[in-house]
Amino acid sequence: MTSVAYQGEYASNSATAAQRLFPGCAELPCTSFEQALDAVTLGAADVAVIPVDNSAAGRVADVHHLLPESGLFVVGEYFLAIRFDLVGVPGTSLAQVEQVRSHVHALGQCRKVLREGGWRTLITDDTAGAAREVAELGDPRHAALAPPAAARHHGLDVLRAGVEDDPDNTTRFVVLSRHADFAPLTDEPTMTSLFFAVRNIPSALYKALGGFASNTVNLTKIESYQMGAGLNPSCFYVEIEGHPDENRVALALQELHFFSSEVRVLGVYPAHPHRLREQTS
């Protein structure tokens, strides 16, 4: 049985993603992203399932900061449709609600219903945790924005269903492992995750990325950050469409190596079918 670490509580969106990726898995809920990654690094879990991007809220987890130093590898991705219900203790009516709690990203993804209700908001660590807190309070003045599974898990009533602003609200998760189980080169769409640090010379980033453009390799994500203090060259986490063994990708990586002081392949994994649907819609 695969053991899966994730940030959040049982019945959270991360838990749902873990269950769909690894049916029947042993779940290891964690209080933070760092704790979830550490669980894999230390062998307490086989993999971690971490949210990285949301179509409405943007970046979710700073994996580009955590991953390069963790020693872990990206071995998969999953796109989960995100649904939020407004939930309260049994017997609660909307007229009784005074305060709504949830994770900051959930509050940001449900602005319309919050504005309509005029309720005070409270930020919690987790959406499923917000549902648990409401159940523990047992007070009809308190409600939560939570995934549908959380209401069922904690015995709460759904006051309004599907209150997310965007019906196409989607979060992308990555699967992290201690083992570099890179996908082989096939005819199927593939993603590659990379870490690199540019050389401290003028136009290094422009030249390093030029190889992707000249070899028609699409960058789907680029994140920059500093390692340490001072005037150290910037580091970058990027994701590209393609496999390192493809000729065009190999040529782009050659150019990247030439203008970088360090390049690491952090993952080669099948592209989730959601990407194809997005490209053809």
Side-chain angles (χ1 to χ4, degrees), residues 156-172:
L156 299 175
D157 283 354
V158 175
L159 308 181
R160 282 188 62 178
V163 295
E164 64 278 353
D165 295 341
D166 183 1
D168 296 321
N169 191 12
T170 304
T171 293
R172 174 176 174 255

Side-chain angles (χ1 to χ4, degrees), residues 2-280:
T2 303
S3 56
V4 183
Y6 55 80
Q7 187 277 327
E9 300 188 11
Y10 290 110
S12 64
N13 285 315
S14 292
T16 298
Q19 293 158 5
R20 293 187 183 178
L21 281 161
F22 303 97
C25 65
E27 299 178 41
L28 180 59
C30 299
T31 58
S32 68
F33 296 117
E34 291 90 341
Q35 188 182 55
L37 269 60
D38 287 344
V40 179
T41 302
L42 298 174
D46 297 317
V47 296
V49 173
I50 303 294
V52 288
D53 299 297
N54 176 265
S55 58
R59 182 197 301 165
V60 177
D62 283 332
V63 170
H64 65 291
H65 277 288
L66 303 172
L67 184 56
E69 304 306 313
S70 70
L72 303 180
F73 300 92
V74 183
V75 296
E77 66 174 359
Y78 185 77
F79 287 79
L80 177 69
I82 301 299
R83 299 292 177 263
F84 289 115
D85 292 342
L86 181 67
V87 301
V89 295
T92 298
S93 67
L94 281 175
Q96 292 174 287
V97 174
E98 297 178 5
Q99 184 181 80
V100 176
R101 65 187 62 209
S102 196
H103 187 273
V104 62
H105 283 289
L107 295 173
Q109 293 166 35
C110 303
R111 289 190 178 94
K112 291 180 182 177
V113 69
L114 293 173
R115 188 165 53 247
E116 290 171 7
W119 302 301
R120 300 192 308 274
T121 58
L122 178 67
I123 295 174
T124 61
D125 292 333
D126 178 62
T127 54
R132 173 183 52 77
E133 291 172 5
V134 167
E136 291 172 348
L137 286 167
D139 187 335
R141 294 175 298 176
H142 295 269
L145 292 170
R152 296 191 296 269
H153 184 70
H154 293 290
L156 299 175
D157 283 354
V158 175
L159 308 181
R160 282 188 62 178
V163 295
E164 64 278 353
D165 295 341
D166 183 1
D168 296 321
N169 191 12
T170 304
T171 293
R172 174 176 174 255
F173 292 79
V174 292
V175 182
L176 305 177
S177 170
R178 292 187 301 279
H179 309 293
D181 297 326
F182 292 172
L185 178 61
T186 66
D187 292 334
E188 297 301 315
T190 304
M191 300 296 298
T192 298
S193 294
L194 300 163
F195 165 86
F196 69 93
V198 294
R199 295 167 58 193
N200 199 8
I201 59 174
S203 304
L205 178 60
Y206 172 79
K207 295 173 181 176
L209 295 179
F212 295 108
S214 59
N215 289 284
T216 64
V217 177
N218 187 33
L219 271 73
T220 61
K221 183 182 184 70
I222 180 167
E223 300 277 3
S224 67
Y225 58 101
Q226 291 291 131
M227 295 289 287
L231 299 176
N232 295 326
S234 293
C235 301
F236 297 86
Y237 173 82
V238 299
E239 295 173 350
I240 64 173
E241 293 178 347
H243 194 287
D245 291 341
E246 290 181 61
N247 185 58
R248 63 189 181 91
V249 177
L251 291 172
L253 293 180
Q254 286 180 14
E255 199 157 340
L256 178 65
H257 276 276
F258 187 80
F259 292 105
S260 302
S261 59
E262 181 183 5
V263 177
R264 275 187 275 160
V265 177
L266 299 177
V268 182
Y269 46 96
H272 190 268
H274 180 86
R275 291 185 181 274
L276 183 59
R277 292 196 296 271
E278 285 291 298
Q279 292 170 0
T280 57

